[in-house]
Amino acid sequence: MKAVFFHQGGAADVLQYGDPASPGDCKDDQVLVRIKAIGINPIDCKIRAAPERFPITFPVIPGCDGAGIVEKAGVKVDKFKPGDEVYFSQPGFNNRQGTYAEYALVDASLLALKPQSLTFEQAAAAPLVFITAWEALHDRARIARDQVVLIHAGAGGVGHAAIQLAKLAGAKVITTVSSEEKAQFVKNLGADCIVNYGTQDIVAEVLRWTGGKGVDIALDTVGPAVLQSCFRCVKPYGDVVTILQATAETDWSEARKRNVRFSHELMLSPVLLELEEAKRHQAGILRQCATLFDSQQLNVTIARSFPLAEAAAAQRYLEQHHPPGKLVMVT
């Protein structure tokens, strides 16, 4: 089995391409998937750079997102059979293998049938970002029709998924970008107000566009400084959701004054903590997204595709360029 792996953390150069150990035996509740395409996510780079922060086993085969064909199903698996085309997100935690490989053993509870209208590359690009955006907006923030939602970095993987899901929920979307190219990209996704954070003051523009009221929901996909600004953008009793982590320097006074409901969104938790019901919930999100993809209500944008053997180049490109949409690899 060809795969990408590393024996120690560091820069993208630690990634090797070769023939590590095979995936092993298929457990009763697992499915062996022949991987056709792999989605690349920032978490892949974080695990490579600082593996000590994660429950992984060396040599590490990175990757969370995959799409492929079922080769074998465990005896307790009744929803999938050999030949089924599937997509999923499963981080390589707790003695699991990641998706940068030709084959992977996947918990059946995480799988969903691939949207028929998507290629394997498109399907592999979707799971982590659409699950994250769905959980952030629907499960954490309880999005409702006619609300106003601020989505930071709208041209990114999670951002471009969140814009589409928010519009489908009947919300108005304000989003931030860094260039005219990305502004056009998010406009095509349906963004109602676009703020270039390099040339405009985000808080001032949000308050201007909302008539001083602020937004109902602010989604931080960037980090501490952006999270801090969210507290001034959201209206009293609004929601702030972050997919990253607050720091010791975070000032919570504005959030407390506004009675903000604050949530973390970490879509890795079901595998990290072995939460079976949460795994099934994420598979359910993928099933709902598949219906929306096939009815042309959602789309996923691929910025660039790489061969699996060029995983190091793909990760370097992601870290240096932050392209609109997603990067993928093909086996």
Side-chain angles (χ1 to χ4, degrees):
M1 175 187 78
K2 294 293 184 183
V4 172
F5 57 95
F6 61 91
H7 291 278
Q8 63 181 22
D13 293 342
V14 303
L15 296 177
Q16 303 176 51
Y17 178 72
D19 297 280
S22 66
D25 296 328
C26 190
K27 296 180 181 178
D28 291 353
D29 57 354
Q30 289 182 319
V31 168
L32 178 65
V33 178
R34 176 160 53 92
I35 302 291
K36 301 287 286 182
I38 302 113
I40 305 173
N41 296 288
I43 186 64
D44 305 347
C45 303
K46 293 177 182 179
I47 292 172
R48 183 212 72 223
E52 68 279 0
R53 295 174 51 200
F54 303 91
I56 49 83
T57 304
F58 290 105
V60 178
I61 296 176
C64 300
D65 283 348
I69 301 170
V70 173
E71 289 276 309
K72 183 179 179 181
V75 296
K76 293 184 179 179
V77 177
D78 57 6
K79 294 182 179 179
F80 302 97
K81 64 184 184 304
D84 284 345
E85 298 181 349
V86 294
Y87 74 143
F88 63 92
S89 188
Q90 175 184 272
F93 295 163
N94 304 332
N95 297 310
R96 292 175 177 82
Q97 173 207 306
T99 56
Y100 284 29
E102 293 178 325
Y103 293 88
L105 289 171
V106 184
D107 294 3
S109 54
L110 293 167
L111 285 174
L113 293 175
K114 181 183 78 66
Q116 295 180 3
S117 60
L118 299 188
T119 65
F120 283 107
E121 291 91 337
Q122 290 170 318
L128 185 146
V129 296
F130 277 91
I131 291 172
T132 298
W134 188 292
E135 289 185 340
L137 294 174
H138 289 283
D139 299 346
R140 305 283 90 77
R142 306 159 178 85
I143 192 171
R145 179 170 294 279
D146 296 326
Q147 287 186 322
V148 181
V149 181
L150 169 62
I151 297 168
H152 283 283
V158 173
H160 98 293
I163 290 172
Q164 295 178 73
L165 292 175
K167 295 300 294 182
L168 280 177
K172 293 182 175 64
V173 172
I174 304 172
T175 193
T176 63
V177 297
S178 60
S179 68
E180 285 303 314
E181 176 194 6
K182 291 180 178 180
Q184 187 59 52
F185 177 77
V186 298
K187 181 179 180 181
N188 292 339
L189 294 174
D192 299 283
C193 174
I194 302 164
V195 181
N196 187 321
Y197 62 80
T199 59
Q200 296 175 286
D201 183 293
I202 296 172
V203 176
E205 288 301 311
V206 167
L207 294 178
R208 181 189 65 79
W209 201 80
T210 60
K213 295 179 180 178
V215 299
D216 298 281
I217 299 167
L219 174 57
D220 163 39
T221 67
V222 180
V226 168
L227 172 61
Q228 191 69 67
S229 72
C230 286
F231 300 143
R232 292 187 292 147
C233 291
V234 73
K235 65 174 56 173
Y237 300 95
D239 279 273
V240 172
V241 184
T242 183
I243 67 171
L244 294 148
Q245 185 168 326
T247 66
E249 289 72 38
T250 301
D251 181 355
W252 298 94
S253 58
E254 191 70 26
R256 185 172 187 271
K257 180 173 69 176
R258 293 173 185 253
N259 225 328
V260 166
R261 182 166 53 187
F262 176 77
S263 303
H264 288 102
E265 166 53 33
L266 180 65
M267 69 78 58
L268 306 174
S269 294
V271 172
L272 182 66
L273 302 176
E274 303 294 355
L275 305 174
E276 292 303 318
E277 185 176 346
K279 292 179 191 177
R280 291 191 291 272
H281 175 63
Q282 291 191 340
I285 291 172
L286 290 182
R287 289 193 297 271
Q288 293 179 80
C289 286
T291 299
L292 294 169
F293 281 122
D294 286 340
S295 61
Q296 311 301 311
Q297 296 182 76
L298 286 180
N299 68 78
V300 60
T301 298
I302 295 176
R304 186 171 170 182
S305 179
F306 295 79
L308 178 60
E310 297 179 12
Q315 287 199 1
R316 281 194 293 268
Y317 187 87
L318 177 62
E319 291 176 310
Q320 295 169 7
H321 297 283
H322 307 289
K326 290 292 302 293
L327 301 182
V328 298
M329 293 185 293
V330 293
T331 59

